[in-house]
Amino acid sequence: EWYTLMQEREIPIKYPYNPKTGGAHDGFVAIDPGGYLLEFEIFKQHPENERFIAALDGAPKIPAGAQELSFFASITWTYHKDMLKMQQFYQEVLGFTLVADQGWTKIYQTTPYSYIGLVDECRGMEDYAESKAVELEWSLENTEALDRYASENWGPYKYREYALFGPENYRYVLSSSD
């Protein structure tokens, strides 16, 4: 339905929808007016998706406001040179759970229905870039506890004024939900 809507609205498509039997996922990539790539993907029952499908179990449909179409979750894809370093950062520093390992991509759950997908720049649609077009932000209930935790545990990473500067020039903003 999403692909049909994009075609009806003449939205540019970078990679068309071409479903395949037996694969882990099917999808297509559209180009938004700002030039950003928007990937619409269906994750199918497949060994690499077992944890991801379980994480999505019971997820409510998120209305998109277009012809009663909806999403179940969103993934923000980021591109990396050193996947092992980034995996360690996401798991050991940020404490996120790996929910899908596609080999050259790793998907981490960051909120109940939001995910970050780490992509090996050698295989992804984009290359690693020193200058980042994306800033990742999470709202927290207790920023005082975060300050204490950060000062005790995030020694090798720069943390100041509710922003953590991780590997590969990514900036993570941690704001108060108050």
Side-chain angles (χ1 to χ4, degrees):
E1 292 89 10
W2 279 106
Y3 189 64
T4 300
L5 178 66
M6 298 295 156
Q7 290 180 313
E8 287 171 358
R9 294 193 178 175
E10 299 180 356
I11 294 173
I13 303 294
K14 181 169 183 160
Y15 299 112
Y17 185 60
N18 185 18
K20 295 183 174 85
T21 304
H25 43 83
D26 289 319
F28 69 94
V29 177
I31 304 170
D32 84 351
Y36 290 96
L37 302 180
L38 303 176
E39 185 173 10
F40 293 78
E41 210 165 4
I42 298 169
F43 288 82
K44 300 188 280 188
Q45 291 295 333
H46 187 276
E48 77 180 31
N49 296 331
E50 286 177 5
R51 288 179 284 176
F52 188 48
I53 299 292
L56 288 173
D57 186 42
K61 287 184 177 182
I62 302 165
Q67 297 181 358
E68 298 190 33
L69 296 177
S70 58
F71 293 97
F72 287 98
S74 66
I75 302 173
T76 300
W77 298 102
T78 58
Y79 294 82
H80 304 281
K81 285 183 179 236
D82 189 338
M83 287 290 286
L84 183 57
K85 181 187 279 186
M86 293 307 297
Q87 284 179 258
Q88 289 172 332
F89 179 75
Y90 269 77
Q91 290 171 207
E92 296 170 13
V93 175
L94 297 177
F96 293 134
T97 302
L98 179 69
V99 294
D101 184 341
Q102 300 174 326
W104 56 283
T105 68
K106 314 294 181 192
I107 301 173
Y108 289 89
Q109 187 168 12
T110 60
T111 72
Y113 310 113
S114 297
Y115 300 83
I116 300 291
L118 309 181
V119 182
D120 183 334
E121 66 134 4
C122 293
R123 299 258 328 258
M125 288 186 278
E126 297 290 332
D127 294 329
Y128 170 83
E130 285 291 327
S131 176
K132 305 302 178 204
V134 173
E135 178 177 275
L136 305 172
E137 181 173 351
W138 291 278
S139 294
L140 306 172
E141 291 179 9
N142 189 340
T143 52
E144 290 176 16
L146 170 69
D147 277 335
R148 281 193 305 278
Y149 181 84
S151 64
E152 294 170 8
N153 297 288
W154 288 346
Y157 299 100
K158 292 181 261 173
Y159 173 77
R160 63 181 176 276
E161 298 177 9
Y162 302 111
L164 174 65
F165 299 85
E168 299 189 350
N169 297 324
Y170 279 90
R171 181 173 184 237
Y172 304 86
V173 176
L174 308 159
S175 63
S176 173
S177 62
D178 298 339

